[in-house]
Coordinates of all heavy atoms in Angstrom, one line a residue:
M1 N -0.5 1.2 -23.1 CA 0.2 -0.1 -22.9 C 0.2 -0.6 -21.5 O 0.4 0.2 -20.6 CB 1.6 0.1 -23.4 CG 2.4 -1.2 -23.3 SD 4.1 -1.0 -23.9 CE 4.1 -2.3 -25.0
K2 N -0.1 -1.8 -21.3 CA -0.1 -2.4 -20.0 C 1.3 -2.9 -19.6 O 2.0 -3.4 -20.4 CB -1.1 -3.7 -19.9 CG -2.5 -3.3 -20.1 CD -3.3 -4.5 -20.0 CE -4.8 -4.2 -20.2 NZ -5.6 -5.3 -20.0
Q3 N 1.6 -2.6 -18.3 CA 2.9 -3.0 -17.8 C 2.8 -4.3 -16.9 O 1.7 -4.4 -16.3 CB 3.6 -1.9 -17.0 CG 3.9 -0.7 -17.9 CD 4.6 0.4 -17.0 OE1 4.7 0.3 -15.8 NE2 5.1 1.4 -17.7
R4 N 3.7 -5.0 -16.9 CA 3.7 -6.3 -16.1 C 4.9 -6.2 -15.1 O 6.0 -5.7 -15.4 CB 3.8 -7.5 -16.9 CG 2.7 -7.7 -17.8 CD 2.8 -9.1 -18.6 NE 1.6 -9.3 -19.3 CZ 0.9 -10.4 -19.1 NH1 1.3 -11.3 -18.3 NH2 -0.3 -10.6 -19.9
V5 N 4.7 -6.8 -14.0 CA 5.7 -6.9 -12.9 C 5.8 -8.4 -12.6 O 4.7 -9.0 -12.2 CB 5.4 -6.1 -11.7 CG1 6.4 -6.3 -10.6 CG2 5.2 -4.6 -12.0
A6 N 6.9 -8.9 -12.6 CA 7.1 -10.4 -12.3 C 7.1 -10.6 -10.8 O 7.6 -9.8 -10.0 CB 8.4 -10.9 -12.9
S7 N 6.6 -11.8 -10.4 CA 6.7 -12.2 -9.0 C 7.2 -13.6 -9.0 O 7.2 -14.3 -10.0 CB 5.4 -12.1 -8.3 OG 4.6 -13.2 -8.5
H8 N 7.6 -14.0 -7.8 CA 8.1 -15.4 -7.6 C 7.1 -16.3 -7.0 O 7.3 -17.4 -6.6 CB 9.4 -15.4 -6.8 CG 10.5 -14.6 -7.4 ND1 11.2 -15.2 -8.5 CD2 11.0 -13.5 -7.2 CE1 12.2 -14.3 -8.9 NE2 12.1 -13.2 -8.2
W9 N 5.9 -15.7 -6.8 CA 4.8 -16.5 -6.2 C 4.4 -17.7 -6.9 O 4.2 -17.7 -8.1 CB 3.5 -15.5 -6.0 CG 3.6 -14.5 -5.0 CD1 4.7 -14.0 -4.3 CD2 2.5 -13.7 -4.5 NE1 4.5 -13.0 -3.5 CE2 3.1 -12.7 -3.6 CE3 1.2 -13.6 -4.8 CZ2 2.3 -11.8 -3.0 CZ3 0.4 -12.7 -4.2 CH2 1.1 -11.8 -3.3
E10 N 4.3 -18.8 -6.1 CA 3.7 -20.0 -6.7 C 2.2 -20.1 -6.4 O 1.5 -20.8 -6.9 CB 4.4 -21.3 -6.0 CG 5.9 -21.4 -6.3 CD 6.5 -22.5 -5.5 OE1 5.8 -23.2 -4.8 OE2 7.7 -22.6 -5.6
G11 N 1.8 -19.3 -5.5 CA 0.4 -19.2 -5.1 C 0.3 -18.1 -4.0 O 1.3 -17.4 -3.6
A12 N -0.9 -18.0 -3.4 CA -1.1 -17.0 -2.4 C -2.1 -17.6 -1.3 O -2.9 -18.5 -1.7 CB -1.7 -15.8 -2.9
V13 N -2.0 -17.1 -0.1 CA -2.9 -17.5 0.9 C -3.7 -16.3 1.3 O -3.1 -15.2 1.6 CB -2.1 -18.0 2.2 CG1 -3.1 -18.4 3.3 CG2 -1.4 -19.3 1.8
L14 N -5.1 -16.4 1.1 CA -5.9 -15.2 1.5 C -6.3 -15.5 2.9 O -6.9 -16.6 3.2 CB -7.1 -15.2 0.6 CG -6.8 -15.1 -0.9 CD1 -8.1 -15.1 -1.7 CD2 -5.9 -13.9 -1.3
V15 N -6.2 -14.5 3.8 CA -6.6 -14.6 5.1 C -7.7 -13.6 5.4 O -7.5 -12.4 5.1 CB -5.4 -14.3 6.1 CG1 -5.9 -14.5 7.5 CG2 -4.2 -15.3 5.8
C16 N -8.8 -14.0 5.9 CA -9.9 -13.1 6.1 C -9.6 -12.2 7.3 O -9.4 -12.6 8.4 CB -11.2 -13.9 6.4 SG -12.7 -12.9 6.7
A17 N -9.6 -10.9 6.9 CA -9.3 -9.9 7.9 C -10.4 -9.7 8.9 O -10.2 -9.5 10.2 CB -9.0 -8.5 7.2
K18 N -11.6 -9.9 8.5 CA -12.7 -9.8 9.4 C -12.7 -10.9 10.5 O -13.0 -10.7 11.7 CB -14.1 -9.8 8.7 CG -15.3 -9.6 9.5 CD -16.6 -9.5 8.7 CE -17.8 -9.3 9.7 NZ -19.0 -9.3 8.8
C19 N -12.4 -12.1 10.0 CA -12.3 -13.3 11.0 C -11.2 -13.0 12.0 O -11.3 -13.2 13.2 CB -12.0 -14.5 10.3 SG -13.3 -15.3 9.3
S20 N -10.0 -12.4 11.5 CA -8.9 -12.1 12.3 C -9.3 -11.1 13.4 O -8.9 -11.2 14.5 CB -7.7 -11.6 11.5 OG -7.2 -12.6 10.7
R21 N -10.1 -10.1 13.0 CA -10.5 -9.1 14.0 C -11.5 -9.8 15.0 O -11.4 -9.5 16.3 CB -11.2 -8.0 13.3 CG -10.3 -6.9 12.8 CD -11.1 -5.6 12.4 NE -12.2 -5.8 11.5 CZ -12.2 -6.0 10.3 NH1 -11.1 -5.9 9.6 NH2 -13.3 -6.2 9.5
R22 N -12.3 -10.6 14.6 CA -13.3 -11.2 15.5 C -12.6 -12.1 16.6 O -13.2 -12.2 17.6 CB -14.3 -12.0 14.7 CG -15.3 -11.1 14.0 CD -16.2 -11.8 13.1 NE -17.1 -12.7 13.9 CZ -17.9 -13.5 13.5 NH1 -18.0 -13.8 12.2 NH2 -18.8 -14.2 14.3
V23 N -11.5 -12.8 16.2 CA -10.9 -13.6 17.2 C -9.8 -12.8 18.0 O -9.1 -13.4 18.8 CB -10.3 -14.9 16.5 CG1 -11.4 -15.7 16.0 CG2 -9.2 -14.6 15.6
G24 N -9.7 -11.5 17.7 CA -8.7 -10.7 18.5 C -7.3 -11.1 18.2 O -6.4 -11.1 19.2
G25 N -6.9 -11.5 17.0 CA -5.5 -11.9 16.8 C -5.5 -13.5 17.0 O -5.6 -14.2 16.0
G26 N -5.4 -13.9 18.2 CA -5.6 -15.3 18.6 C -4.4 -16.2 18.3 O -4.5 -17.4 18.6
F27 N -3.3 -15.7 17.8 CA -2.2 -16.6 17.5 C -0.9 -16.1 18.0 O -0.8 -15.0 18.5 CB -2.1 -16.7 16.0 CG -3.3 -17.3 15.3 CD1 -4.4 -16.5 14.9 CD2 -3.5 -18.7 15.2 CE1 -5.5 -17.1 14.4 CE2 -4.6 -19.3 14.7 CZ -5.6 -18.4 14.3
G28 N 0.2 -17.0 18.0 CA 1.5 -16.5 18.6 C 1.6 -16.9 20.0 O 0.6 -17.4 20.6
P29 N 2.7 -16.6 20.6 CA 3.0 -17.0 22.0 C 2.0 -16.4 23.0 O 1.7 -17.1 24.0 CB 4.4 -16.5 22.3 CG 5.0 -16.1 20.9 CD 3.8 -16.0 20.0
K30 N 1.6 -15.1 22.8 CA 0.6 -14.5 23.7 C -0.8 -14.6 23.2 O -1.7 -14.0 23.9 CB 1.1 -13.1 24.0 CG 2.4 -13.0 24.6 CD 2.8 -11.5 24.9 CE 4.2 -11.5 25.6 NZ 4.6 -10.1 25.8
G31 N -1.0 -15.1 22.1 CA -2.3 -15.2 21.5 C -2.9 -13.8 21.1 O -4.1 -13.7 21.0
K32 N -2.1 -12.9 20.7 CA -2.6 -11.6 20.3 C -2.1 -11.2 18.9 O -2.5 -10.2 18.5 CB -2.0 -10.6 21.3 CG -2.5 -10.7 22.7 CD -1.9 -9.6 23.5 CE -2.5 -9.7 25.0 NZ -2.0 -8.7 25.9
T33 N -1.4 -12.0 18.2 CA -0.9 -11.8 16.9 C -1.9 -12.4 15.8 O -2.4 -13.4 16.0 CB 0.5 -12.4 16.7 OG1 1.4 -12.0 17.8 CG2 1.1 -12.0 15.3
R34 N -2.1 -11.6 14.8 CA -2.9 -12.0 13.6 C -2.2 -13.1 12.9 O -1.0 -13.1 12.7 CB -3.2 -10.9 12.7 CG -4.1 -9.7 13.4 CD -4.1 -8.6 12.6 NE -5.3 -8.7 11.6 CZ -6.2 -7.7 11.5 NH1 -6.1 -6.6 12.1 NH2 -7.3 -7.9 10.7
L35 N -3.0 -14.0 12.4 CA -2.5 -15.2 11.6 C -1.7 -14.7 10.4 O -0.6 -15.3 10.1 CB -3.6 -16.1 11.2 CG -3.2 -17.4 10.6 CD1 -2.2 -18.2 11.4 CD2 -4.4 -18.3 10.2
A36 N -2.2 -13.8 9.6 CA -1.5 -13.3 8.5 C -0.1 -12.9 8.8 O 0.9 -13.1 8.1 CB -2.3 -12.2 7.8
K37 N 0.1 -12.1 9.9 CA 1.4 -11.6 10.3 C 2.3 -12.7 10.6 O 3.5 -12.7 10.2 CB 1.2 -10.7 11.4 CG 2.5 -9.9 11.9 CD 2.2 -8.9 13.0 CE 3.5 -8.2 13.3 NZ 3.2 -7.1 14.3
L38 N 1.8 -13.7 11.3 CA 2.7 -14.9 11.7 C 3.1 -15.7 10.4 O 4.2 -16.1 10.3 CB 2.0 -15.8 12.6 CG 1.9 -15.4 14.0 CD1 1.1 -16.4 14.9 CD2 3.3 -15.2 14.6
L39 N 2.2 -15.9 9.5 CA 2.5 -16.6 8.3 C 3.5 -15.9 7.4 O 4.4 -16.5 6.9 CB 1.2 -16.8 7.4 CG 0.2 -17.9 7.8 CD1 -1.1 -17.8 7.0 CD2 0.9 -19.2 7.8
R40 N 3.4 -14.5 7.4 CA 4.4 -13.8 6.5 C 5.9 -14.0 7.1 O 6.8 -13.8 6.3 CB 4.0 -12.3 6.6 CG 2.8 -11.9 5.7 CD 2.6 -10.5 5.7 NE 1.4 -10.2 5.0 CZ 0.3 -9.6 5.6 NH1 0.4 -9.0 6.7 NH2 -0.8 -9.3 4.9
K41 N 6.0 -14.2 8.3 CA 7.3 -14.3 9.0 C 7.9 -15.7 8.7 O 9.1 -15.9 9.0 CB 7.2 -14.1 10.5 CG 6.9 -12.6 10.8 CD 6.9 -12.4 12.2 CE 6.7 -10.9 12.6 NZ 6.7 -10.7 14.0
Q42 N 7.1 -16.7 8.2 CA 7.6 -18.1 8.0 C 8.4 -18.1 6.7 O 8.2 -17.4 5.8 CB 6.5 -19.1 7.9 CG 5.6 -19.0 9.3 CD 6.5 -19.3 10.5 OE1 7.2 -20.2 10.6 NE2 6.4 -18.3 11.5
P43 N 9.5 -19.0 6.7 CA 10.3 -19.2 5.5 C 9.4 -19.5 4.3 O 8.5 -20.4 4.3 CB 11.2 -20.3 5.8 CG 11.3 -20.3 7.3 CD 9.9 -19.8 7.7
G44 N 9.6 -18.8 3.1 CA 8.9 -19.1 1.9 C 7.6 -18.3 1.8 O 7.0 -18.1 0.7
F45 N 7.1 -17.7 2.9 CA 5.9 -17.0 2.9 C 6.3 -15.5 3.1 O 7.2 -15.2 3.6 CB 5.0 -17.4 4.1 CG 4.4 -18.7 3.9 CD1 5.1 -19.8 4.2 CD2 3.0 -18.8 3.5 CE1 4.5 -21.1 4.0 CE2 2.5 -20.1 3.4 CZ 3.2 -21.3 3.6
G46 N 5.4 -14.6 2.6 CA 5.7 -13.2 2.7 C 4.7 -12.3 2.0 O 3.7 -12.8 1.5
K47 N 4.9 -11.0 2.1 CA 4.0 -10.0 1.5 C 4.6 -9.5 0.2 O 3.8 -9.2 -0.7 CB 3.9 -8.9 2.5 CG 2.9 -7.8 2.2 CD 2.9 -6.8 3.3 CE 1.8 -5.8 3.1 NZ 1.7 -4.9 4.2
G48 N 5.9 -9.5 0.0 CA 6.5 -8.9 -1.2 C 6.4 -9.9 -2.4 O 6.2 -11.1 -2.2
R49 N 6.8 -9.4 -3.5 CA 6.7 -10.3 -4.8 C 7.8 -11.3 -4.9 O 7.8 -12.2 -5.7 CB 6.7 -9.4 -6.0 CG 7.9 -8.5 -6.2 CD 7.8 -7.6 -7.3 NE 9.0 -6.9 -7.6 CZ 9.9 -7.3 -8.5 NH1 9.6 -8.3 -9.2 NH2 11.0 -6.5 -8.6
K50 N 8.8 -11.2 -3.9 CA 9.8 -12.2 -3.9 C 9.6 -13.5 -3.1 O 10.3 -14.3 -3.1 CB 11.2 -11.6 -3.5 CG 11.6 -10.5 -4.5 CD 13.0 -10.0 -4.2 CE 13.4 -9.0 -5.2 NZ 14.7 -8.4 -5.0
A51 N 8.5 -13.4 -2.4 CA 8.1 -14.6 -1.5 C 7.7 -15.8 -2.4 O 7.2 -15.6 -3.6 CB 6.9 -14.2 -0.6
R52 N 7.8 -17.0 -2.0 CA 7.3 -18.1 -2.7 C 5.8 -18.2 -2.6 O 5.2 -18.5 -3.7 CB 8.0 -19.4 -2.0 CG 7.6 -20.7 -2.8 CD 8.3 -21.9 -2.3 NE 8.0 -22.2 -0.8 CZ 6.9 -22.8 -0.4 NH1 6.1 -23.4 -1.3 NH2 6.8 -23.1 0.8
I53 N 5.2 -18.0 -1.4 CA 3.8 -18.0 -1.3 C 3.5 -16.6 -0.7 O 3.9 -16.2 0.4 CB 3.4 -19.1 -0.3 CG1 3.8 -20.5 -0.7 CG2 1.8 -19.0 -0.1 CD1 3.1 -20.9 -2.0
G54 N 2.6 -15.9 -1.4 CA 2.2 -14.5 -0.9 C 1.1 -14.7 0.2 O 0.2 -15.6 0.1
V55 N 1.1 -13.8 1.1 CA 0.1 -13.9 2.2 C -0.6 -12.5 2.1 O 0.0 -11.5 2.3 CB 0.7 -14.1 3.6 CG1 -0.4 -14.0 4.7 CG2 1.4 -15.4 3.7
V56 N -1.9 -12.6 1.9 CA -2.8 -11.4 1.6 C -3.9 -11.5 2.5 O -4.7 -12.4 2.5 CB -3.2 -11.3 0.2 CG1 -4.0 -10.1 -0.1 CG2 -2.0 -11.4 -0.8
E57 N -4.1 -10.3 3.3 CA -5.4 -10.3 4.1 C -6.4 -9.7 3.1 O -6.2 -8.6 2.5 CB -5.1 -9.3 5.3 CG -4.6 -10.0 6.5 CD -4.8 -9.2 7.8 OE1 -4.0 -8.3 7.9 OE2 -5.5 -9.6 8.7
S58 N -7.6 -10.4 3.2 CA -8.7 -10.0 2.3 C -9.8 -9.4 3.1 O -9.8 -9.6 4.3 CB -9.1 -11.2 1.5 OG -9.8 -12.1 2.4
R59 N -10.8 -8.9 2.4 CA -12.0 -8.5 3.0 C -12.8 -9.8 3.4 O -12.3 -10.9 3.2 CB -12.8 -7.7 2.1 CG -12.1 -6.4 1.7 CD -13.0 -5.5 0.9 NE -13.2 -4.3 1.6 CZ -14.2 -3.4 1.2 NH1 -14.8 -3.5 0.1 NH2 -14.3 -2.3 1.9
C60 N -13.9 -9.7 3.9 CA -14.7 -10.8 4.4 C -14.9 -11.8 3.3 O -15.3 -11.4 2.2 CB -16.1 -10.3 4.9 SG -17.1 -11.6 5.5
L61 N -14.7 -13.1 3.5 CA -14.8 -14.1 2.6 C -16.2 -14.8 2.6 O -16.5 -15.6 1.9 CB -13.7 -15.2 2.8 CG -12.3 -14.7 2.6 CD1 -11.3 -15.7 3.1 CD2 -12.1 -14.5 1.1
G62 N -17.0 -14.3 3.5 CA -18.4 -14.8 3.6 C -18.7 -16.1 4.3 O -19.8 -16.5 4.4
V63 N -17.7 -16.6 4.9 CA -17.9 -17.9 5.7 C -18.3 -17.6 7.1 O -19.2 -18.1 7.7 CB -16.7 -18.8 5.7 CG1 -16.9 -20.1 6.5 CG2 -16.4 -19.1 4.2
C64 N -17.6 -16.6 7.7 CA -17.9 -16.2 9.1 C -18.1 -17.3 10.1 O -19.1 -17.4 10.8 CB -19.1 -15.2 9.1 SG -18.9 -13.9 8.0
P65 N -17.1 -18.2 10.3 CA -17.2 -19.2 11.3 C -17.1 -18.6 12.7 O -16.5 -17.6 12.9 CB -16.0 -20.1 11.1 CG -14.9 -19.1 10.5 CD -15.8 -18.2 9.7
R66 N -17.6 -19.3 13.7 CA -17.5 -18.8 15.1 C -16.1 -19.3 15.6 O -15.8 -20.4 15.4 CB -18.5 -19.5 16.0 CG -19.9 -19.0 15.8 CD -20.8 -19.6 16.8 NE -22.2 -19.2 16.5 CZ -22.8 -18.2 17.0 NH1 -22.2 -17.3 17.9 NH2 -24.1 -17.9 16.8
D67 N -15.3 -18.4 16.1 CA -14.1 -18.6 16.7 C -13.1 -19.3 15.8 O -12.5 -20.4 16.2 CB -14.3 -19.4 18.0 CG -13.1 -19.3 18.9 OD1 -12.4 -18.3 19.0 OD2 -12.8 -20.4 19.6
A68 N -12.9 -18.8 14.6 CA -12.0 -19.4 13.6 C -11.7 -18.3 12.6 O -12.4 -17.4 12.4 CB -12.5 -20.6 13.0
V69 N -10.6 -18.5 11.9 CA -10.1 -17.6 10.8 C -10.2 -18.4 9.5 O -9.7 -19.5 9.5 CB -8.7 -17.1 11.0 CG1 -8.3 -16.2 9.9 CG2 -8.6 -16.2 12.3
T70 N -10.7 -17.9 8.5 CA -10.9 -18.5 7.2 C -9.7 -18.2 6.3 O -9.2 -17.1 6.1 CB -12.1 -18.0 6.4 OG1 -13.3 -18.2 7.3 CG2 -12.3 -18.8 5.1
L71 N -9.1 -19.3 5.7 CA -7.9 -19.1 4.8 C -8.3 -19.8 3.5 O -9.0 -20.8 3.4 CB -6.7 -19.9 5.3 CG -6.0 -19.6 6.6 CD1 -4.8 -20.4 6.8 CD2 -5.6 -18.1 6.7
V72 N -7.8 -19.2 2.4 CA -7.9 -19.7 1.0 C -6.5 -19.9 0.4 O -5.8 -18.9 0.3 CB -8.9 -18.9 0.1 CG1 -8.9 -19.5 -1.2 CG2 -10.2 -18.7 0.7
D73 N -6.1 -21.1 0.1 CA -4.9 -21.3 -0.6 C -5.2 -21.3 -2.1 O -6.0 -22.1 -2.6 CB -4.3 -22.7 -0.2 CG -3.0 -22.9 -0.8 OD1 -2.5 -22.2 -1.7 OD2 -2.4 -24.0 -0.4
T74 N -4.6 -20.3 -2.8 CA -5.0 -20.2 -4.2 C -4.5 -21.4 -5.1 O -5.0 -21.5 -6.2 CB -4.5 -18.9 -4.8 OG1 -3.0 -18.9 -4.8 CG2 -5.0 -17.6 -4.1
R75 N -3.6 -22.2 -4.6 CA -3.2 -23.4 -5.2 C -4.3 -24.5 -5.3 O -4.3 -25.3 -6.1 CB -1.9 -23.9 -4.7 CG -0.8 -22.9 -4.7 CD 0.4 -23.4 -3.9 NE 0.1 -23.4 -2.5 CZ 0.9 -23.8 -1.5 NH1 2.0 -24.4 -1.9 NH2 0.5 -23.8 -0.3
R76 N -5.2 -24.3 -4.3 CA -6.3 -25.3 -4.2 C -7.5 -24.5 -3.8 O -8.0 -24.6 -2.6 CB -6.0 -26.4 -3.1 CG -5.0 -27.4 -3.6 CD -4.5 -28.3 -2.6 NE -3.8 -27.7 -1.4 CZ -2.5 -27.3 -1.5 NH1 -1.8 -27.5 -2.7 NH2 -1.9 -26.7 -0.6
P77 N -8.1 -23.7 -4.6 CA -9.2 -22.7 -4.3 C -10.5 -23.4 -3.9 O -11.4 -22.8 -3.3 CB -9.4 -21.9 -5.5 CG -8.9 -22.8 -6.7 CD -7.8 -23.6 -6.1
A78 N -10.7 -24.7 -4.1 CA -12.0 -25.4 -3.8 C -12.0 -25.8 -2.3 O -13.0 -26.1 -1.8 CB -12.1 -26.6 -4.7
D79 N -10.8 -25.8 -1.7 CA -10.7 -26.3 -0.3 C -10.3 -25.1 0.7 O -9.1 -24.7 0.6 CB -9.7 -27.4 -0.1 CG -10.2 -28.7 -1.0 OD1 -11.4 -28.9 -1.0 OD2 -9.3 -29.3 -1.6
W80 N -11.2 -24.7 1.5 CA -10.8 -23.6 2.4 C -10.5 -24.2 3.8 O -11.1 -25.2 4.2 CB -12.0 -22.6 2.4 CG -12.3 -21.9 1.2 CD1 -11.8 -22.2 -0.1 CD2 -13.0 -20.7 1.0 NE1 -12.3 -21.3 -1.0 CE2 -13.0 -20.3 -0.4 CE3 -13.7 -19.9 1.9 CZ2 -13.7 -19.3 -0.9 CZ3 -14.4 -18.8 1.4 CH2 -14.4 -18.5 0.0
L81 N -9.7 -23.5 4.5 CA -9.3 -23.9 5.9 C -10.0 -23.0 6.9 O -10.1 -21.8 6.7 CB -7.8 -23.8 6.1 CG -6.9 -24.8 5.4 CD1 -5.4 -24.3 5.5 CD2 -7.1 -26.1 5.9
L82 N -10.4 -23.6 8.0 CA -10.9 -22.8 9.1 C -9.9 -23.1 10.3 O -9.8 -24.2 10.7 CB -12.3 -23.3 9.5 CG -13.4 -23.1 8.5 CD1 -14.7 -23.6 9.0 CD2 -13.5 -21.7 8.0
V83 N -9.2 -22.1 10.7 CA -8.1 -22.2 11.7 C -8.6 -21.6 13.0 O -8.9 -20.5 13.1 CB -6.9 -21.6 11.2 CG1 -5.7 -21.8 12.1 CG2 -6.5 -22.1 9.8
R84 N -8.5 -22.5 14.0 CA -9.0 -21.9 15.4 C -7.8 -21.2 16.1 O -6.7 -21.5 15.8 CB -9.3 -23.2 16.3 CG -10.3 -24.1 15.7 CD -11.7 -23.7 16.3 NE -12.8 -24.5 15.6 CZ -13.8 -24.0 15.0 NH1 -14.0 -22.8 15.0 NH2 -14.7 -24.8 14.4
P85 N -8.1 -20.2 16.8 CA -7.1 -19.5 17.6 C -6.3 -20.4 18.4 O -6.8 -21.4 19.0 CB -7.9 -18.5 18.5 CG -9.3 -18.4 17.8 CD -9.5 -19.7 17.1
G86 N -5.0 -20.2 18.6 CA -4.2 -20.9 19.4 C -3.5 -22.0 18.6 O -2.5 -22.7 19.1
T87 N -4.0 -22.3 17.3 CA -3.3 -23.3 16.5 C -1.9 -22.8 16.2 O -1.7 -21.7 15.7 CB -4.1 -23.5 15.2 OG1 -5.5 -23.9 15.6 CG2 -3.5 -24.5 14.3
A88 N -1.0 -23.7 16.2 CA 0.4 -23.3 16.0 C 0.6 -23.1 14.5 O 0.0 -23.7 13.7 CB 1.4 -24.5 16.3
V89 N 1.3 -22.1 14.1 CA 1.6 -21.6 12.8 C 2.2 -22.8 11.9 O 1.9 -22.9 10.8 CB 2.3 -20.3 12.7 CG1 3.8 -20.5 13.0 CG2 2.2 -19.7 11.3
E90 N 3.0 -23.6 12.6 CA 3.6 -24.7 11.9 C 2.6 -25.7 11.5 O 2.7 -26.3 10.4 CB 4.7 -25.4 12.8 CG 5.8 -24.5 13.3 CD 5.5 -23.5 14.4 OE1 4.5 -23.7 15.1 OE2 6.4 -22.7 14.6
A91 N 1.5 -25.9 12.3 CA 0.4 -26.9 11.9 C -0.4 -26.3 10.7 O -0.7 -27.0 9.9 CB -0.5 -27.0 13.1
V92 N -0.5 -25.0 10.7 CA -1.2 -24.4 9.5 C -0.4 -24.5 8.3 O -0.9 -24.9 7.2 CB -1.5 -22.8 9.8 CG1 -2.1 -22.2 8.6 CG2 -2.3 -22.7 11.0
I93 N 0.9 -24.3 8.4 CA 1.8 -24.5 7.2 C 1.8 -25.9 6.7 O 1.8 -26.2 5.5 CB 3.2 -24.0 7.5 CG1 3.2 -22.4 7.6 CG2 4.2 -24.4 6.4 CD1 4.4 -21.8 8.2
A94 N 1.8 -26.8 7.6 CA 1.8 -28.2 7.3 C 0.5 -28.5 6.5 O 0.5 -29.3 5.5 CB 1.9 -29.1 8.5
R95 N -0.6 -28.0 7.0 CA -1.9 -28.3 6.3 C -1.9 -27.6 4.9 O -2.3 -28.3 3.9 CB -3.0 -27.7 7.0 CG -3.3 -28.3 8.3 CD -4.3 -29.4 8.2 NE -4.7 -29.8 9.6 CZ -5.1 -31.0 9.9 NH1 -5.4 -31.8 8.9 NH2 -5.5 -31.3 11.0
L96 N -1.3 -26.5 4.7 CA -1.2 -25.8 3.4 C -0.2 -26.6 2.5 O -0.6 -26.8 1.3 CB -0.7 -24.4 3.6 CG -1.6 -23.4 4.2 CD1 -0.9 -22.1 4.6 CD2 -2.9 -23.1 3.4
D97 N 0.8 -27.1 3.1 CA 1.8 -27.8 2.2 C 1.3 -29.2 1.8 O 1.5 -29.6 0.7 CB 3.1 -28.0 3.0 CG 4.0 -26.7 3.0 OD1 3.6 -25.8 2.3 OD2 4.8 -26.7 3.9
E98 N 0.5 -29.8 2.7 CA 0.0 -31.2 2.3 C -1.3 -31.1 1.5 O -1.7 -32.1 0.9 CB -0.3 -32.0 3.6 CG -1.5 -31.6 4.3 CD -1.7 -32.4 5.6 OE1 -0.7 -32.9 6.2 OE2 -2.8 -32.4 6.1
G99 N -1.8 -29.9 1.4 CA -3.1 -29.7 0.6 C -4.3 -30.1 1.2 O -5.4 -30.1 0.7
G100 N -4.2 -30.4 2.6 CA -5.4 -30.9 3.3 C -6.3 -29.6 3.7 O -5.7 -28.5 4.1
A101 N -7.5 -29.7 3.7 CA -8.3 -28.6 4.0 C -9.2 -28.9 5.3 O -10.2 -28.3 5.6 CB -9.2 -28.1 3.0
Q102 N -8.7 -29.9 6.1 CA -9.4 -30.2 7.3 C -9.2 -29.1 8.3 O -8.2 -28.4 8.3 CB -8.9 -31.5 7.9 CG -9.0 -32.7 7.0 CD -7.8 -32.8 6.2 OE1 -6.7 -32.3 6.4 NE2 -7.9 -33.6 5.2
P103 N -10.2 -28.7 9.2 CA -10.0 -27.7 10.2 C -8.8 -28.0 11.0 O -8.5 -29.1 11.4 CB -11.2 -27.7 11.0 CG -12.3 -28.4 10.1 CD -11.5 -29.3 9.2
A104 N -8.0 -27.0 11.2 CA -6.7 -27.1 12.1 C -7.1 -26.9 13.5 O -8.0 -26.3 13.9 CB -5.7 -26.1 11.7

């Protein structure tokens, strides 16, 4: 018998771990924090099943942009974001909330 576990997720944000490594973190006040870690600390975002939006670091997504991190919002899987290092996490969240997939 299969078991189910409920979550409160409305969606998830996939963050390419390979891109994050290539830019050396690149986010936060000192520019050394990974984007996924910063997103998880924002209200409504998180790693656990009680978060509104789950943040998951994935394996390579195959885009491999120069000097950017690839994000996929599962609520809009056709539009991927390329986020440059140094972009404020608030700007990334605003793009995710508005549904825009223009580079941040």
